[in-house]
Amino acid sequence: MDWGQGELLSPVVRDDEVTIAARRRRKTTVAFPSPGSPVLSTVTPARSLLRNTPLFRQAVTPRVPDVSSILAPGGRTPRYTHTPRNALSSMNLDDSDWTNSVYISPVSGMENTSFFTDDITNLSSALLKEDDPGEAAAASLFPEFLTSFLKNSSTAVFELLEDYQLLLQDKVDVLQSVVLRAGRDSKTAGVRWLLQQENCSWRLITSLYRDRVQLALGDDIMTDMVVPSESEKVVVEQLFQRDAVIRQSQLVVDWLESIAKDQIGDFSDNIEYYAKNVCWENTLHALKLRRKSGASFTIPLVTELDPDAPLRQQRPLANLDREDDARLLKNLFTLIRAGMTEEAQRLCKRCGQAWRAATLEGWKLYHDPNRTSASAELQAVEGNPQRGIWKVCCWRMAEEEQLNRYERAIYAALSGNLKPILAVCESWEDCVWAHFRVMVDSLVEKDLMSSGMAHQEVETLPREYLEANWTMEKVFEELQASELKRVFEETSEHYHVIQKFVILGDLDGLLEEFSDWLTASKPLPSHLLRFMTHLLLFYRSLGLALKEEVCVDVLKAYVSLLIRDRQTDLVASYVSQLPAELATVQYAAFLETVSQPELRPRCLQLATDAGLDVAAITKLVVETVRETNETEFTHHNQTLEMGTTKEDLRKIDVIDWLLFDPAHRAESLKQSNAIMRKFLALQKHDAAKVVFSKVPEDSMREIYCQWSGVGQTTALPAEDENAIREHLCIRAYLEAHEAFTDWFSHSSSAPQKPVPASEAKFTERVANEMREKEYQAALSAWSCRLDVLTEDVKERIYNVLLFVDGGWMIDNRQDSEPDSERSHQMAALRSLCLPRLSFLLLSVLQNSSRDQEALRLADIISSDQHRLYQVFAKEELRRFLQKLRESSLSLLDRGLDPLGYELQPCTHTH
């Protein structure tokens, strides 16, 4: 049977130890109270509370937990409350109608099977229309896992694991329905297998770590001192109480049997072909015919029908009986492999082999309660007083090569004989089950021998059994060297590797595997990465020491997956599990990919809810984008206006991240200033204007209000005050540039003088006069408008050149944190923009025939008060003086002196 990939139908025969619903009913939780809350006394006594700290949410430094606080003291159920095998209830082998009560008919079984409900059927029909139905159906696991994590992680870790299992089981049910309709070779079957394996892994983790957390307490664990007892059952119970290895090994066996039990499904379909009451009815019929007719058999058959007859007489059964026996034995082994020994016995009786059911009963440990009871009333004795003889017989039957291989495997499993079991094992799970079952059997027998309780017959078993030194590590070494191709390949499957390290409790080895998987060229399945992430978060919640760099790599890989798959709402919560600085970097990188404006407030709100530093994140986003494809900030001779590129638009757009929260207004001012400085240096004035327009007009007032709102009476921080001044400087420059643009556009659109018609007709002359009047009126209006614009541009440029309190792009406050890059850029902008504006103003004045005002500009630039000459390069000063020479010549042409004053007439005295 293909345990790993077989059909997972809803089991009909399930006991309370295995079914998911039953596990939910009987689960016990380790509760995590909220900070400051008292430890509640209503917690299930068998488990208890972790200490009063929130789950490992923000801080990620590994810590060794105070195990005494993981489980509260108080009354608890014994850790081991059952014998190493599932105890069978006392059976009435003469019960005649047990099949109707245990086995449900196929029709009634369908009614209770979730795969065939109307809702599941309708859903599977819709999913079949998808390109990848499996991924479509399982996609909701990502948000559902996060919801469960946020809901339970700070209250009860094992309840969280139960929720994970229920979520996965629901998806497996849906996918099973799709697989039944789409075929086993579809992609959906692969997704279903992944989720099945994950579900099984969580089941194992829940089982083992419940025991390990309780073991960490150490307050009710028995010491190596053994209480003398004449009861095998009591001795073994004490062994399970004190020995964690055998206890957890049995948990592994139980886990593997529960997986097999889930896969058996409706077993009633498999037994319909068996005889109702009589064993070997075809052979019996042949013998009856022979007795009546007196004829001899053409084919030799057994002449007797006791259970040992075929082996003793070396004669076969009838062909149909041999076939029935082979099928029966295979199904019996399947039931025992699933831990369903009682059902196997019932099946034996159902087929007329009550003797075989009795042989499956002898493993029970002997216990006579009357030896220690003070009661005068006799109590029933449990178990098999001759278990040693029974075990030796089982061992010998397993070694008997003439028997069916499944019959040998059945008795090998009961007696701890490994080799015959492995002969019928087909999968990794089968082989692990065989080894661990034999290991538990061997450890139990050794303990009984050391306590003097062993049967003499057991000591006659082979030395390799009696002296075997099984360990969990040795089991997996044996599997790694398996000669079965399928088993060897399955040992390297991701989920089996995880299960192996979980069983061994080797977290370092597990994390090394995670690291290797992340660095491999082949990408990991998305559901596997989700499982890895939540497994590490579970370990963290228990306070186990983990390799921090691997945890970070796994979380980063999962965050990258969520970003790739556009799971926007999930990113913040997982980023918050990273160290604070790295979380800021990761979430900032995510925000860079969010281009839809409507999603941005939502992303910031999620970051706030997750406890991330939103101010640092948004600042980093803006800085990262604005420094992309950065050009050197130096002097250049570029004179033409540059257009806005796609990269420029991205830098303009990124400033929005700082505008959602008024508390970030100061930072938005600083970052927008930085972006505009680069644009001004490249003469991208339109781009700078767009950035400037994004900053709300009330930003400066908002900054002052926020400062005073926190009770501050002192001046603003120097960085904020300087940012406000720089913002005003940029505004003055942009206004001056816009005024020049308006002047230049208007000066270039002077009215055209009409050309008079050559013919001297009266009508033409009238028309010429009308056109001339219109021209003169338009010219007058244009000239007036030009004068206004000239005054405006002159005023605005002087606002920049003569900027108050120290000059344009010069900080007032020098007590701020030094920022060499900003200081360099501001100095460079003075050298770039102030000469540029001076030349523009000179051009405006000269074109407006205001040469005298142009010469006054020279006085301002050369003034020691403003020292504007210091921002001019030598070549720029030479060109500026050359332009001034043109103004002086123009004044001379108008009969004025070179400075624009009227010439004084010369007077001669005699």
Side-chain angles (χ1 to χ4, degrees):
M1 179 177 289
D2 185 355
W3 301 112
Q5 299 180 2
E7 279 188 43
L8 182 63
L9 299 175
S10 288
V12 173
V13 183
R14 305 169 80 97
D15 63 23
D16 281 348
E17 294 296 318
V18 180
T19 61
I20 293 170
R23 285 199 304 275
R24 164 65 81 177
R25 286 197 304 271
R26 66 183 180 86
K27 72 175 183 296
T28 53
T29 62
V30 174
F32 291 77
S34 58
S37 63
V39 177
L40 301 178
S41 61
T42 57
V43 176
T44 307
R47 309 288 174 203
S48 76
L49 305 175
L50 276 180
R51 73 190 151 177
N52 297 341
T53 55
L55 254 191
F56 216 116
R57 303 283 300 154
Q58 297 301 323
V60 293
T61 307
R63 57 185 169 82
V64 178
D66 177 8
V67 295
S68 65
S69 62
I70 293 180
L71 294 170
R76 285 185 300 186
T77 57
R79 180 176 294 103
Y80 180 73
T81 57
H82 51 81
T83 55
R85 302 286 183 266
N86 292 330
L88 297 180
S89 58
S90 56
M91 292 176 56
N92 179 6
L93 294 181
D94 295 327
D95 183 9
S96 59
D97 194 26
W98 57 269
T99 53
N100 291 334
S101 60
V102 174
Y103 292 112
I104 303 173
S105 70
V107 175
S108 61
M110 290 286 192
E111 293 172 359
N112 296 324
T113 304
S114 61
F115 305 138
F116 299 101
T117 62
D118 292 340
D119 289 343
I120 294 291
T121 303
N122 294 336
L123 180 57
S124 65
S125 300
L127 289 172
L128 285 172
K129 299 175 183 178
E130 299 283 346
D131 294 335
D132 192 342
E135 287 296 337
S140 63
L141 280 174
F142 294 92
E144 289 171 351
F145 261 57
L146 177 59
T147 301
S148 291
F149 176 72
L150 297 177
K151 180 180 69 174
N152 292 313
S153 59
S154 60
T155 55
V157 288
F158 291 114
E159 184 174 339
L160 173 63
L161 300 193
E162 296 283 0
D163 282 353
Y164 288 165
Q165 293 175 59
L166 291 175
L167 290 172
L168 288 164
Q169 189 60 46
D170 288 342
K171 291 297 180 290
V172 169
D173 291 349
V174 172
L175 293 176
Q176 175 65 17
S177 179
V178 176
V179 169
L180 292 175
R181 305 177 70 176
R184 290 182 176 277
D185 296 331
S186 63
K187 287 183 180 180
T188 304
V191 176
R192 183 204 61 178
W193 184 85
L194 285 174
L195 300 187
Q196 275 182 311
Q197 287 296 321
E198 182 183 349
N199 194 13
C200 294
S201 300
W202 284 123
R203 193 185 304 179
L204 171 67
I205 293 162
T206 304
S207 177
L208 286 178
Y209 277 91
R210 271 194 172 127
D211 183 82
R212 288 169 182 172
V213 168
Q214 189 169 333
L215 177 63
L217 261 176
D219 58 353
D220 74 335
I221 297 176
M222 296 177 64
T223 64
D224 292 336
M225 181 184 69
V226 179
V227 179
S229 174
E230 296 182 9
S231 167
E232 288 181 335
K233 180 180 178 181
V234 172
V235 169
V236 172
E237 284 181 349
Q238 292 176 358
L239 170 65
F240 272 76
Q241 284 280 1
R242 70 177 184 270
D243 191 327
V245 173
I246 191 172
R247 189 172 60 250
Q248 292 175 17
S249 297
Q250 181 61 42
L251 289 175
V252 173
V253 173
D254 294 341
W255 166 67
L256 291 164
E257 289 177 350
S258 73
I259 296 173
K261 185 171 184 179
D262 285 344
Q263 292 168 334
I264 286 179
D266 190 348
F267 202 72
S268 61
D269 291 343
N270 298 324
I271 63 169
E272 286 301 317
Y273 47 80
Y274 293 126
K276 295 297 181 184
N277 297 305
V278 180
C279 173
W280 302 337
E281 64 176 355
N282 296 290
T283 304
L284 176 62
H285 180 68
L287 291 177
K288 286 183 177 179
L289 286 178
R290 179 186 177 192
R291 178 181 297 177
K292 287 183 179 179
S293 62
S296 60
F297 288 126
T298 55
I299 300 176
L301 292 177
V302 293
T303 59
E304 299 170 352
L305 289 182
D306 62 276
D308 296 325
L311 193 60
R312 184 180 67 252
Q313 294 185 340
Q314 295 294 304
R315 287 170 171 259
L317 299 172
N319 289 339
L320 292 176
D321 289 338
R322 287 205 306 274
E323 293 174 7
D324 280 354
D325 251 16
R327 286 194 293 269
L328 171 64
L329 291 169
K330 183 174 182 178
N331 282 307
L332 288 176
F333 177 77
T334 299
L335 288 168
I336 290 175
R337 165 69 182 82
M340 301 167 67
T341 308
E342 183 174 333
E343 279 69 29
Q345 290 178 293
R346 290 177 175 176
L347 179 58
C348 290
K349 185 175 183 299
R350 165 75 174 77
C351 301
Q353 297 191 17
W355 56 270
R356 192 185 297 280
T359 66
L360 303 181
E361 180 82 2
W363 61 266
K364 293 184 178 180
L365 297 169
Y366 181 69
H367 175 61
D368 186 355
N370 300 299
R371 291 174 179 259
T372 56
S373 174
S375 172
E377 184 179 350
L378 290 178
Q379 301 178 43
V381 176
E382 302 176 23
N384 180 8
Q386 305 300 328
R387 193 180 61 83
I389 298 175
W390 169 87
K391 185 162 190 171
V392 171
C393 291
C394 288
W395 184 283
R396 292 174 181 171
M397 289 182 70
E399 294 289 320
E400 180 56 62
E401 296 184 357
Q402 295 185 48
L403 294 179
N404 178 282
R405 67 189 187 119
Y406 285 103
E407 186 170 16
R408 294 175 61 193
I410 290 169
Y411 293 106
L414 294 173
S415 61
N417 194 344
L418 180 61
K419 188 175 178 180
I421 310 177
L422 292 178
V424 298
C425 290
E426 299 175 352
S427 67
W428 181 86
E429 287 91 344
D430 292 347
C431 291
V432 175
W433 171 81
H435 281 88
F436 272 83
R437 180 161 179 137
V438 168
M439 178 168 71
V440 171
D441 190 284
S442 173
L443 293 173
V444 167
E445 290 297 347
K446 280 186 177 182
D447 189 71
L448 289 172
M449 291 173 68
S450 65
S451 65
M453 297 289 296
H455 297 263
Q456 292 182 351
E457 294 81 5
V458 173
E459 298 177 5
T460 65
L461 293 177
R463 289 182 59 188
E464 60 267 22
Y465 171 78
L466 297 175
E467 298 178 3
N469 188 25
W470 283 108
T471 62
M472 293 182 178
E473 290 77 9
K474 187 177 179 182
V475 167
F476 289 107
E477 289 173 6
E478 291 283 334
L479 290 174
Q480 196 68 42
S482 175
E483 296 180 357
L484 286 175
K485 181 181 178 182
R486 175 181 170 184
V487 174
F488 178 76
E489 290 174 350
E490 287 183 352
T491 57
S492 59
E493 286 179 353
H494 293 113
Y495 287 97
H496 291 155
V497 171
I498 294 173
Q499 291 160 3
K500 177 185 80 171
F501 285 113
V502 167
I503 292 170
L504 295 176
D506 183 2
L507 297 188
D508 289 341
L510 177 63
L511 292 181
E512 285 178 12
E513 287 289 339
F514 282 4
S515 182
D516 292 342
W517 295 347
L518 291 173
T519 55
S521 56
K522 186 177 180 181
L524 294 174
S526 57
H527 291 290
L528 174 61
L529 195 53
R530 174 182 46 74
F531 172 50
M532 291 163 57
T533 301
H534 287 86
L535 177 57
L536 292 182
L537 293 176
F538 165 72
Y539 283 141
R540 235 189 224 179
S541 69
L542 294 181
L544 301 177
L546 302 171
K547 292 181 179 178
E548 183 65 13
E549 60 275 13
V550 181
C551 294
V552 166
D553 289 342
V554 172
L555 281 165
K556 286 169 63 177
Y558 188 55
V559 167
S560 298
L561 170 72
L562 296 175
I563 294 173
R564 186 201 71 189
D565 292 346
R566 301 181 185 278
Q567 299 270 14
T568 307
D569 288 355
L570 312 185
V571 175
S573 295
Y574 292 102
V575 169
S576 69
Q577 301 298 318
L578 293 167
E581 291 185 7
L582 185 57
T584 298
V585 174
Q586 286 291 306
Y587 204 71
F590 160 63
L591 294 185
E592 287 182 44
T593 67
V594 180
S595 56
Q596 303 94 319
E598 64 276 7
L599 290 180
R600 291 179 171 181
R602 170 71 175 160
C603 292
L604 293 181
Q605 184 58 50
L606 290 168
T608 302
D609 295 343
L612 296 173
D613 187 348
V614 176
I617 290 170
T618 50
K619 177 182 177 181
L620 183 59
V621 174
V622 177
E623 289 180 344
T624 303
V625 172
R626 72 176 174 83
E627 292 171 5
T628 305
N629 300 326
E630 197 68 3
T631 56
E632 190 176 357
F633 203 104
T634 57
H635 194 285
H636 56 82
N637 295 322
Q638 180 177 291
T639 56
L640 296 176
E641 175 80 16
M642 296 289 290
T644 305
T645 65
K646 185 176 181 181
E647 188 62 36
D648 294 337
L649 291 174
R650 185 163 176 256
K651 294 179 181 180
I652 295 169
D653 185 57
V654 77
I655 204 69
D656 289 341
W657 286 112
L658 294 168
L659 302 178
F660 294 113
D661 188 350
H664 302 160
R665 202 60 63 82
E667 188 62 37
S668 69
L669 212 59
K670 297 171 188 174
Q671 296 297 336
S672 62
N673 288 346
I675 294 173
M676 287 189 287
R677 286 198 299 268
K678 292 294 180 71
F679 285 155
L680 293 182
L682 296 172
Q683 293 209 93
K684 297 187 175 184
H685 298 99
D686 289 340
K689 290 175 186 175
V690 176
V691 175
F692 186 88
S693 66
K694 279 184 171 288
V695 180
E697 294 181 358
D698 66 341
S699 292
M700 289 175 281
R701 181 169 54 83
E702 184 69 35
I703 293 170
Y704 280 107
C705 288
Q706 289 177 16
W707 183 250
S708 60
V710 293
Q712 296 293 338
T713 58
T714 57
L716 274 177
E719 292 83 0
D720 292 353
E721 192 168 319
N722 288 336
I724 291 174
R725 177 178 172 82
E726 182 185 354
H727 185 74
L728 295 174
C729 288
I730 294 173
R731 183 175 75 177
Y733 180 84
L734 292 176
E735 288 175 348
H737 182 272
E738 187 173 4
F740 173 79
T741 302
D742 292 343
W743 176 89
F744 182 79
S745 175
H746 186 72
S747 66
S748 304
S749 59
Q752 296 295 319
K753 185 175 177 64
V755 179
S758 58
E759 298 181 6
K761 292 180 180 180
F762 176 76
T763 54
E764 292 295 337
R765 289 198 304 270
V766 172
N768 286 338
E769 291 174 2
M770 291 294 293
R771 281 194 291 271
E772 182 65 23
K773 287 181 180 179
E774 290 174 358
Y775 163 71
Q776 290 299 331
L779 182 62
S780 176
W782 175 83
S783 298
C784 291
R785 174 64 178 161
L786 184 63
D787 289 340
V788 172
L789 292 175
T790 301
E791 286 296 324
D792 185 54
V793 72
K794 183 180 73 169
E795 178 185 352
R796 294 187 183 278
I797 291 179
Y798 274 131
N799 284 344
V800 176
L801 297 178
L802 307 176
F803 201 86
V804 296
D805 296 335
W808 189 76
M809 282 294 182
I810 294 179
D811 289 336
N812 268 353
R813 298 273 296 275
Q814 302 303 321
D815 55 338
S816 62
E817 289 291 329
D819 186 343
S820 58
E821 182 183 8
R822 177 175 176 272
S823 299
H824 164 71
Q825 291 181 358
M826 292 176 70
L829 274 182
R830 284 177 58 80
S831 298
L832 288 169
C833 297
L834 294 182
R836 186 186 302 161
L837 282 181
S838 299
F839 277 105
L840 291 179
L841 179 56
L842 186 60
S843 173
V844 169
L845 295 174
Q846 287 179 340
N847 279 279
S848 304
S849 299
R850 300 189 183 193
D851 297 297
Q852 194 170 7
E853 292 186 37
L855 291 174
R856 291 194 196 117
L857 177 60
D859 293 336
I860 294 174
I861 291 175
S862 61
S863 164
D864 284 335
Q865 178 185 355
H866 304 292
R867 298 187 180 188
L868 294 175
Y869 58 84
Q870 293 179 348
V871 302
F872 281 77
K874 287 183 179 180
E875 177 60 26
E876 289 173 331
L877 281 175
R878 189 191 64 78
R879 286 194 296 114
F880 191 76
L881 291 173
Q882 183 66 34
K883 287 276 189 181
L884 288 177
R885 179 176 176 272
E886 294 175 5
S887 291
S888 294
L889 291 173
S890 176
L891 290 170
L892 288 172
D893 290 342
R894 283 188 262 163
L896 301 173
D897 70 2
L899 298 179
Y901 296 102
E902 293 183 2
L903 291 173
Q904 299 294 327
C906 293
T907 58
H908 300 279
T909 60
H910 298 283

